[in-house]
Amino acid sequence: MGMRYVLRVFVSAKHMTAKVVEGNNGREVASASSVEHALRSAFEWGKGCDARAAASVGEVLAMRLKTEAPEVGVGGGVHFNVEKEIKKKSVDNGDKVWTVVNALRKRGIKVFVTDDHS
């Protein structure tokens, strides 16, 4: 069986980071964050991380996966655990996290969604 890649998303009041890691050892394959100068300077951020910023993070991550990790971005895809990434976190940022997932899909990245308690 091939390598499993997992999407991890971190959201704070002002910023968001999304990264893809190898599932068995946690090595980061690619990432994108709203704190990066290229993303940060593209928006009027205001007081928080919004859906537009989340979509941009997802789009940049998708582009990086296609260039930096073609085994993931071109054919392999990433796994996304709803229970771990949204339901168990104390802050309600589910809409922003789904915006990242949808941006990845829109850019051609396969996202396999699982929910441990469905």
Side-chain angles (χ1 to χ4, degrees), residues 1-49:
M1 185 170 189
M3 183 71 60
R4 181 179 175 141
Y5 298 95
V6 181
L7 173 66
R8 300 279 187 244
V9 182
F10 305 94
V11 182
S12 72
K14 292 187 178 184
H15 297 289
M16 167 179 275
T17 299
K19 63 183 177 179
V20 172
V21 298
E22 288 182 359
N24 61 344
N25 66 16
R27 181 183 71 86
E28 186 176 297
V29 176
S31 68
S33 176
S34 63
V35 298
E36 294 176 36
H37 179 70
L39 285 171
R40 188 177 65 230
S41 63
F43 295 103
E44 283 286 328
W45 286 107
K47 294 185 178 182
C49 180

Side-chain angles (χ1 to χ4, degrees), residues 2-118:
M3 183 71 60
R4 181 179 175 141
Y5 298 95
V6 181
L7 173 66
R8 300 279 187 244
V9 182
F10 305 94
V11 182
S12 72
K14 292 187 178 184
H15 297 289
M16 167 179 275
T17 299
K19 63 183 177 179
V20 172
V21 298
E22 288 182 359
N24 61 344
N25 66 16
R27 181 183 71 86
E28 186 176 297
V29 176
S31 68
S33 176
S34 63
V35 298
E36 294 176 36
H37 179 70
L39 285 171
R40 188 177 65 230
S41 63
F43 295 103
E44 283 286 328
W45 286 107
K47 294 185 178 182
C49 180
D50 61 8
R52 224 172 51 158
S56 295
V57 167
E59 289 175 14
V60 169
L61 180 59
M63 290 185 285
R64 288 180 179 163
L65 284 170
K66 288 182 177 182
T67 59
E68 298 171 10
E71 71 277 8
V72 181
V74 177
V78 297
H79 294 265
F80 174 70
N81 186 317
V82 175
E83 179 74 18
K84 186 171 186 176
E85 297 301 317
I86 297 176
K87 291 181 182 176
K88 287 188 176 178
K89 294 184 178 174
S90 59
V91 180
D92 182 27
N93 288 306
D95 291 344
K96 294 174 194 166
V97 175
W98 281 111
T99 299
V100 171
V101 170
N102 291 332
L104 287 170
R105 287 177 168 163
K106 187 177 177 181
R107 292 282 183 171
I109 305 295
K110 293 178 190 172
V111 180
F112 305 102
V113 176
T114 59
D115 187 343
D116 291 341
H117 291 91
S118 5

